[in-house]
């Protein structure tokens, strides 16, 4: 497979690119390991060369070459390459450093980092340099998948007890046993004990994360196919310019509802009710909710184009492997549907660990408002438009690390050795040989992979062949049931948001409009239920568009629900601040100190609907005055004068008599 080596058939003595890092000085303390790359560059972890208790690095370190011939381990000085020091952030992202040697290394072999999918139980090996083990220590581990504190790392578990990671393994090159390729570096170990059992595992920084942070490595020292090619991704500038896969919740307060009902419900401005994609007379594409910028819909308030939010949410849910979505799905993105095309490319870019700017885990569950996928949730994306099966097979093989010399033709090798990856294939109906392309992609499914096929046409031989070969006959029924469940979730969310709005209307203004799309979508689902074409591919097209419409409506309802809940909670917090500080003033006999500020804040919070920003300013003013009055020095100055000692009855009588004389 791949480079035609067995999983346990490799020569570690040929890995002379492995280096050891020391701290210069009398003691020459071993700091950790590293990887010699081309052009005299050395890759390691930032924490290996960090000055303790600082965020800075050592001015220089000594790099030794244990694999040099004749036992020559003479070291070279190395310094950090400018712009390539990425200390570990609070979320544990980064932790990378690239060094430049002061001279030519004493070995001729250097490593190239290879892009490779994260495969469960794939066996790897590496070597570290624990104290007092001058020659280093070898270890093997099994890849377990994304793990650690963020999406940038991959968990690796020791194969045996003797393979346990030790200190000073950090920076060690991780080699895939089957292909002999360097696929990352060791970054951390974790020992824990739960219920009497000892748990030991470690983490590696994979190539995708390294090249995201270090430009020189990406430009000079990496091999393998990018998980998402340029034709299916967006550049960083475009990604930064996208206003978000969700409509900004602030827009819900700045856009008045179109023809609102008496309870403030109704579609937000810039939207109409969903266009019916099941209507044979409608050839305009996705429903207006799923494509807000469609020519048949009023333009969004945003002047720049935004991704189709419902499609982005649906695609994120599929990438996350949510239970109600099948391993094999189909969807449709026509050339003229620019919002859906942008959502596809944006979501795939965010799912690529190498290109995603995000590092923390994202979930797409209700109430979170997240439509961005987890970085690293996509293994492979291929644009098959205009390509032959042989060209497609080459791309797939390279993405799976199956490329290299072999006895079998590439399609046969894929059929025999394909890895169980999550793959997106766009333009199946525009491939040079669509039917053969569907057959090739089916091999990925047979090997346990998950597959999304993106069609550009609503009817094609490739779509019919996909229906026959890859989709179970019960798929239309199951798909319709899934759409029904999402509509019911939408109805519950809208009703809950309306109830929140009724409560909030007594105390807060302005309030977001709460959409009421569920009844219309329930009618569409009923129409689909009775559709006479349920066995045709056109029925799948209708299901796809309605489902995206439902997802967009659900996103809108969830956003309104979140905003209303936050408004109510903030109003309650302000009441608590006001009452709490007033009680403290009363306890010290200072109720009149900030009376004017208190009365103004109280009037805003209890006298009917108020703008939160105005109430926040009033409460803040009162709190500042209250805190100033409660300060120790202020309390002493404002304390009433102590009364004179009581002279007693006799003295009082004498004084009275004296006064009466």
């Amino acid at each position: 497979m791949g480079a035609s080596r067995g999983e346990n058939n490799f020569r570690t003595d040929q890995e002379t690119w492995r280096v050891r890092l020391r701290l210069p000085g009398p003691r020459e303390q071993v700091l950790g390991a590293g990887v010699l790359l081309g052009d005299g560059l050395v890759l390691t972890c930032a924490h290996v060369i960090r000055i303790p208790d600082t965020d800075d690095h050592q001015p220089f370190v000594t790099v030794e070459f244990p694999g040099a011939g004749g036992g020559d381990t003479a070291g070279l000085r190395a310094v950090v390459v400018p712009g390539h020091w990425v200390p570990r952030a609070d979320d544990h992202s980064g932790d990378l450093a690239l060094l430049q040697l002061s001279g030519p290394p004493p070995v001729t072999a250097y490593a190239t980092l290879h892009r490779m999918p994260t495969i469960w139980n794939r066996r790897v090996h590496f070597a570290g340099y624990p104290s007092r083990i001058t020659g280093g220590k070898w270890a093997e581990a099994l890849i377990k998948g994304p793990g650690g504190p963020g999406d940038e790392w991959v968990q690796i578990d020791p194969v045996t007890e003797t393979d346990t990671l030790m200190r000073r393994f950090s920076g060690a090159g991780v080699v895939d046993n089957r292909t002999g390729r360097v696929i990352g570096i060791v970054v951390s170990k974790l020992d824990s004990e739960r219920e009497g059992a000892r748990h030991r595992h470690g983490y590696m920084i994979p190539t995708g994360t390294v090249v995201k942070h270090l430009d020189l490595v990406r430009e000079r020292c990496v091999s393998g196919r990018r998980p998402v090619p340029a034709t299916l991704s967006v550049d960083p500038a475009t990604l930064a310019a996208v206003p978000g896969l969700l409509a900004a919740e602030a827009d819900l307060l700045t856009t008045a509802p179109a023809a609102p009902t008496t309870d403030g419900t109704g579609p937000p401005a810039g939207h109409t009710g969903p266009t019916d994609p099941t209507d044979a007379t409608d050839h305009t594409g996705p429903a207006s909710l799923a494509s807000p910028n469609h020519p048949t819909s009023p333009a969004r308030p945003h002047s720049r184009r935004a991704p189709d939010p419902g499609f982005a949410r649906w695609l994120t849910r599929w990438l996350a492997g949510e239970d109600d979505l099948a391993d094999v799905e189909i969807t449709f993105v026509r050339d003229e549907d620019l919002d859906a095309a942008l959502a596809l490319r944006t979501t795939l870019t965010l799912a690529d660990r190498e290109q995603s700017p995000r590092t923390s885990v994202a979930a797409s569950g209700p109430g979170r408002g997240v439509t961005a996928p987890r970085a690293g949730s996509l293994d492979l994306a291929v644009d098959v438009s205009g390509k032959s099966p042989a060209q497609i097979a080459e791309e797939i093989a390279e993405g799976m690390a199956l490329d290299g010399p072999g006895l079998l033709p590439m399609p046969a090798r894929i059929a025999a050795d394909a890895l169980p990856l999550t793959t997106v294939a766009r333009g199946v109906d525009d491939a040079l040989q669509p039917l053969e392309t569907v057959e090739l992609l089916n091999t990925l499914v047979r090997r346990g992979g998950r597959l999304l096929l993106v069609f550009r046409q609503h009817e094609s031989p490739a779509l019919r062949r996909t229906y026959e070969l890859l989709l179970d006959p019960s798929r239309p029924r199951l798909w319709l049931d899934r759409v029904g469940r999402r509509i019911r979730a939408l109805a519950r969310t809208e009703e809950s948001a309306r109830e929140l709005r009724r409560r909030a209307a007594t105390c807060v203004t302005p309030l977001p409009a709460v959409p009421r799309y569920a009844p219309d979508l329930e009618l569409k689902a009923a129409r689909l239920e009775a559709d006479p074409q349920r066995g045709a591919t056109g029925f799948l097209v209708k299901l796809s568009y309605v489902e995206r419409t439902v997802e967009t409506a659900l996103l809108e309802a969830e956003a309104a629900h979140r905003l209303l809940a936050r408004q109510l909670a903030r109003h309650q917090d302000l009441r608590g601040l006001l009452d709490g500080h007033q009680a403290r003033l009363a306890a010290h006999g200072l109720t009149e100190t900030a009376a004017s500020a208190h009365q103004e804040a109280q009037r805003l919070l209890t006298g009917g609907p108020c703008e939160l920003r105005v109430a926040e300013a009033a409460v803040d003013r009162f709190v500042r005055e209250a805190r100033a009055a409660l300060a120790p020095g202020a309390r002493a100055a404002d304390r009433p004068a102590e009364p004179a000692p009581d002279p007693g009855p006799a003295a009082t009588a004498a004084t009275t008599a004296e006064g009466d004389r």
Side-chain angles (χ1 to χ4, degrees):
M1 178 177 177
S4 68
R5 65 164 66 207
E7 188 159 320
N8 296 300
N9 182 22
F10 51 85
R11 292 281 304 275
T12 57
D13 61 345
Q14 295 178 354
E15 297 174 359
T16 57
W17 46 261
R18 296 188 181 277
V19 301
R20 177 172 53 222
L21 275 59
R22 287 187 185 273
L23 184 65
R27 297 180 59 188
E28 294 189 329
Q29 174 188 349
V30 174
L31 299 173
V35 176
L36 175 64
L37 305 174
D39 299 327
L41 299 172
V42 172
L43 174 67
T44 189
C45 295
H47 75 264
V48 170
I49 62 169
R50 183 177 68 88
I51 299 175
D53 302 321
T54 74
D55 289 328
D56 204 358
H57 56 78
Q58 301 289 347
F60 59 90
V61 295
T62 299
V63 178
E64 298 178 336
F65 304 85
D72 181 11
T73 60
L76 292 173
R77 178 175 293 194
V79 297
V80 173
V81 176
H84 288 70
W85 162 252
V86 189
R88 183 182 293 184
D90 291 341
D91 63 357
H92 286 238
S93 62
D95 201 357
L96 291 162
L98 191 65
L99 311 176
Q100 179 69 61
L101 294 174
S102 60
V107 295
T108 57
Y110 59 85
T112 298
L113 296 184
H114 192 77
R115 298 179 175 97
M116 189 169 179
T118 301
I119 306 301
W120 180 264
N121 272 354
R122 187 87 166 194
R123 188 172 289 215
V124 296
H125 68 272
F126 41 86
Y129 301 98
S131 299
R132 296 183 296 278
I133 305 180
T134 56
K137 178 182 183 296
W138 292 97
E140 282 191 286
L142 299 175
I143 291 178
K144 293 300 181 182
D151 290 336
E152 292 200 340
W153 295 0
V154 171
Q155 182 176 328
I156 49 176
D157 287 3
V159 174
T160 68
E161 187 71 19
T162 59
D163 292 315
T164 298
L165 277 76
M166 303 172 68
R167 292 189 63 189
R168 299 179 179 84
F169 267 77
S170 293
V174 178
V175 175
D176 175 51
N177 285 8
R178 194 168 295 185
T179 64
R181 288 164 165 159
V182 184
I183 60 173
I185 60 173
V186 175
V187 64
S188 179
K189 68 181 184 70
L190 178 65
D191 294 345
S192 61
E193 188 168 340
R194 294 189 302 275
E195 299 177 355
R198 190 80 173 173
H199 300 270
R200 293 186 174 94
H201 59 266
Y203 296 99
M204 61 174 279
I205 303 178
T207 297
T209 298
V210 175
V211 300
K212 177 168 74 173
H213 286 289
L214 302 177
D215 294 341
L216 276 181
V217 177
R218 181 177 64 253
E219 295 165 5
R220 303 181 188 178
C221 311
V222 67
S223 63
R225 182 186 184 277
R226 284 171 53 181
V228 181
T231 57
L232 289 179
S233 59
V234 294
D235 58 55
T238 302
L239 196 64
V242 169
L245 297 182
L246 270 177
E249 291 176 14
D251 291 341
L252 296 175
L253 296 178
T254 58
T255 56
T261 60
T262 55
D263 65 351
T265 61
H271 291 278
T272 62
T275 306
D276 188 352
T278 67
D279 187 346
T281 63
D282 176 33
H283 301 291
T284 58
S288 63
L289 269 178
S291 183
N293 288 324
H294 193 277
T296 63
S297 308
R300 268 190 174 189
H302 301 295
S303 59
R304 58 190 176 191
R305 184 166 298 282
D308 174 339
F311 185 35
R313 161 76 82 94
W314 181 88
L315 181 52
T316 294
R317 293 181 65 235
W318 182 79
L319 288 168
E322 295 194 8
D323 291 341
D324 59 340
L325 289 160
D327 285 342
V328 180
E329 292 281 357
I330 63 172
T331 192
F332 303 87
V333 179
R334 300 202 300 179
D335 291 339
E336 60 269 32
D337 193 354
L338 301 180
D339 293 333
L342 182 57
L344 175 68
R345 293 188 294 115
T346 302
T347 306
L348 296 184
T349 302
L350 291 171
D352 180 358
R353 183 182 283 113
E354 179 173 337
Q355 299 188 70
S356 176
R358 299 169 49 257
T359 59
S360 59
V361 175
S364 62
R368 297 185 179 92
V370 177
T371 55
R374 179 175 183 167
S377 57
L378 176 66
D379 296 314
L380 182 65
V382 289
D383 189 343
V384 302
S385 303
K387 296 175 183 174
S388 67
Q391 291 173 309
I392 299 167
E394 289 288 344
E395 286 196 41
I396 292 173
E398 187 178 8
M400 291 184 172
L402 297 178
D403 55 324
L407 299 177
L408 296 175
M410 196 60 73
R413 291 172 64 183
I414 292 174
D417 295 326
L419 302 176
L421 305 186
T422 296
T423 305
V424 173
R426 185 187 74 168
V428 183
D429 39 7
D430 288 335
L432 291 180
Q433 297 170 264
L435 300 184
E436 290 80 355
T437 298
V438 173
E439 298 280 352
L440 174 63
L441 294 173
N442 186 41
T443 62
L444 307 184
V445 178
R446 291 203 305 265
R447 296 289 300 180
R450 302 177 68 243
L451 177 65
L452 172 63
L453 296 100
V454 183
F455 291 88
R456 300 169 72 172
Q457 305 169 32
H458 288 172
E459 183 58 52
S460 69
L463 178 56
R464 289 193 294 273
R465 184 59 179 144
T466 298
Y467 194 2
E468 298 166 355
L469 187 64
L470 291 170
L471 303 183
D472 189 272
S474 63
R475 173 59 63 86
R477 173 74 264 167
L478 296 174
W479 199 342
L480 188 55
D481 290 344
R482 184 173 77 202
V483 171
R485 288 193 295 272
R486 299 299 280 179
I487 293 175
R488 290 191 290 275
L490 170 65
R492 291 192 298 270
T493 304
E494 288 181 348
E495 179 54 39
S496 179
R498 282 193 290 273
E499 175 57 31
L500 279 178
R501 197 180 195 281
R502 285 190 285 271
R503 290 169 48 197
T506 63
C507 56
V508 176
T509 190
L511 297 175
V514 177
R516 196 190 290 271
Y517 292 133
D520 185 59
L521 290 165
E522 287 166 353
L523 289 176
K524 295 183 188 303
R527 197 176 301 160
L528 287 171
E529 189 77 42
D531 195 309
Q533 302 295 321
R534 285 180 58 168
T537 55
F539 186 70
L540 303 180
V541 177
K542 297 174 184 179
L543 283 168
S544 178
Y545 283 136
V546 169
E547 185 168 43
R548 282 150 61 169
T549 300
V550 174
E551 291 295 341
T552 301
L554 189 53
L555 280 170
E556 213 166 288
E558 290 171 355
H561 191 283
R562 282 193 307 276
L563 182 53
L564 286 162
R566 283 206 299 269
Q567 287 177 308
L568 277 169
R570 183 54 179 158
H571 187 274
Q572 190 66 28
D573 288 345
L574 292 174
R575 289 287 303 270
L577 275 172
L578 188 69
D579 295 345
H581 280 78
Q582 182 66 3
R584 292 181 63 197
L585 288 174
H588 289 85
L590 300 173
T591 53
E592 299 302 319
T593 303
S596 176
H598 178 265
Q599 289 169 4
E600 175 62 13
Q602 179 111 0
R603 180 188 66 79
L604 288 169
L605 291 173
T606 62
C610 67
E611 290 190 49
L612 282 176
R613 61 182 181 82
V614 177
E616 284 173 341
V619 172
D620 182 62
R621 184 165 54 253
F622 166 70
V623 168
R624 287 200 309 270
E625 292 185 20
R627 287 175 176 169
L630 290 166
R635 288 205 304 271
D638 295 340
R639 188 178 296 120
E642 294 289 341
D646 188 354
T652 302
T655 303
T656 302
E658 183 70 27
D660 288 342
R661 280 196 190 106

